[in-house]
Structure formats: structure tokens, C-alpha cells
């Protein structure tokens, strides 16, 4: 069975705790923001990351549909 996928918007601060908690729950974690991975600790912790700004809602929605993301 495939892991459920969760998209976390932003990869700094409290989002890092969310990534860790989601991974502990067995979820596939994806972090999206405009920062390069070395400036985004959440991206470094996640299973996958997207270089899409959190303000680019249309692109994020399209990508979520393509990737069959279960939760945001």
C-alpha cells in the first residue's frame, strides 16, 4: 500500500515540526516554497520537495492533482 501524501506549505520554522510529525505518522512528506533547499530546512527533512512559491496557488493545485496529494 502506498503512503498517503501530505503537502506542507513552507519549509522554515514550525513547518519543520510538522514534517517530522507527519513522517512519524508514516506519511509521505512534500514541502513547497520558493527557497533553494539549502535555505529551507523543511525541504531537507522531507521525502520530496517542490520549488513552487506558496503564493502560486494555481500551480500548487495542479501539481497536487498530478501527484495525487491527499492533504495540504
Amino acid at each position: 500500500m502506498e503512503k498517503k501524501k501530505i503537502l506542507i506549505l513552507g519549509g522554515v520554522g514550525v513547518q519543520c515540526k510538522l514534517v517530522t510529525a507527519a513522517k512519524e505518522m508514516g506519511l509521505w512528506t512534500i514541502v513547497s516554497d520558493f527557497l533553494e533547499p539549502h535555505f529551507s530546512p523543511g525541504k531537507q527533512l522531507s521525502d520530496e520537495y517542490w520549488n513552487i512559491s506558496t503564493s502560486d496557488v494555481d500551480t500548487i493545485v495542479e501539481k497536487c492533482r498530478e501527484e495525487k496529494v491527499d492533504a495540504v
Side-chain angles (χ1 to χ4, degrees):
M1 180 178 209
E2 280 189 29
K3 288 183 177 184
K4 296 282 187 177
K5 295 181 181 180
I6 184 170
L7 173 64
I8 297 153
L9 301 172
V12 295
V14 72
Q15 290 91 341
C16 292
K17 291 181 181 180
L18 182 56
V19 171
T20 301
K23 288 181 78 155
E24 287 173 358
M25 294 171 59
L27 301 173
W28 182 263
T29 57
I30 306 165
V31 170
S32 186
D33 63 25
F34 68 92
L35 297 171
E36 292 299 318
H38 59 278
F39 291 119
S40 179
K43 285 182 175 177
Q44 295 172 28
L45 294 171
S46 67
D47 297 304
E48 178 180 346
Y49 63 83
W50 302 340
N51 288 329
I52 304 171
S53 172
T54 58
S55 65
D56 190 352
V57 176
D58 292 336
T59 302
I60 288 176
V61 169
E62 181 179 325
K63 183 81 170 172
C64 284
R65 287 182 178 142
E66 289 172 6
E67 298 296 323
K68 296 182 173 55
V69 172
D70 297 291
V72 179

